[in-house]
Amino acid sequence: QDILLHSPSSISLGSVTAGDHVDLISCGAVTGCGTAVHVTATSVTAKGGLVVLNTSVDRLCLCGSTGSIVIKESNGITLGDMFAFGQVQVEATAGDIVLDGAINAGVQACLTAKAGAITDDCDTCVDVFGQSVKLSSRDGVGTLAHPIHVEACGLVLEATGLNKSIYVNDLTGIGVL
């Protein structure tokens, strides 16, 4: 059960539920109304000038083309490729954020796992690009065997849980945290 919604203007969602995939493509913004979950599905692909959604999905691939991407996920989530000229901001309120694609932000990439970890899908490619990158989680960032690979001019890393570790491979060599 898939839902495909393509619009030459903006898309504003109340609540959409699909058994499998939701595809949202707009020449304008893709946004949700209110604070409830806007999209519930196994996976979501969205493209718009600005993408702002509350989700309950397993996997997410987004392109905010000329704008930013702001996602509030009610569970843990696997992130595929994400691109925005502005900011990429993803918050998972319960569970892990697993990076399975490149997160590319023209300005800032901010990933927050409030009740989990931020982990890599075990590849050696760059996971997060941005002028600045902030990775924050309760249960750690990356692992010794699979660090998070970043390219950024500014980097903020945070693990708020007791005795949690941060493993990041800084490919730009900024050396300032």
Side-chain angles (χ1 to χ4, degrees), residues 6-93:
H6 297 207
S7 172
S9 59
S10 294
I11 296 172
S12 182
L13 301 172
S15 178
V16 174
T17 300
D20 192 24
H21 184 77
V22 174
D23 189 13
L24 305 167
I25 298 186
S26 168
C27 291
V30 177
T31 59
C33 298
T35 58
V37 172
H38 305 123
V39 181
T40 302
T42 301
S43 65
V44 172
T45 301
K47 180 179 180 182
L50 168 69
V51 179
V52 180
L53 295 171
N54 295 337
T55 63
S56 178
V57 300
D58 296 331
R59 182 176 175 78
L60 197 58
C61 295
L62 298 176
C63 179
S65 40
T66 60
S68 293
I69 296 169
V70 180
I71 300 296
K72 186 170 184 178
E73 168 61 32
S74 61
N75 300 298
I77 191 166
T78 298
L79 299 178
D81 291 332
M82 300 179 82
F83 173 81
F85 282 110
Q87 178 180 13
V88 173
Q89 178 181 338
V90 178
E91 177 183 296
T93 58

Side-chain angles (χ1 to χ4, degrees), residues 15 20 28-29 32 56 59 65 95 99 105 110 113 129 137 144 146 163:
S15 178
D20 192 24
S56 178
R59 182 176 175 78
S65 40
L99 302 178
C110 181
F129 298 87
S137 76
L144 181 59
H146 301 287
N163 296 322

Side-chain angles (χ1 to χ4, degrees), residues 97-172:
I97 294 176
V98 179
L99 302 178
D100 186 33
I103 310 302
N104 191 336
V107 180
Q108 181 186 41
C110 181
L111 307 179
T112 304
K114 288 192 160 201
I118 298 173
T119 61
D120 186 12
D121 70 339
C122 304
D123 66 10
T124 58
C125 300
V126 176
D127 299 303
V128 186
F129 298 87
Q131 289 180 17
S132 68
V133 171
K134 179 179 181 183
L135 305 175
S136 176
S137 76
R138 183 191 69 189
D139 295 338
V141 176
T143 64
L144 181 59
H146 301 287
I148 305 298
H149 305 286
V150 299
E151 283 190 12
C153 295
L155 188 57
V156 176
L157 304 169
E158 179 179 51
T160 60
L162 187 61
N163 296 322
K164 299 303 174 187
S165 299
I166 296 173
Y167 297 94
V168 170
N169 184 359
D170 168 21
L171 301 174
T172 53

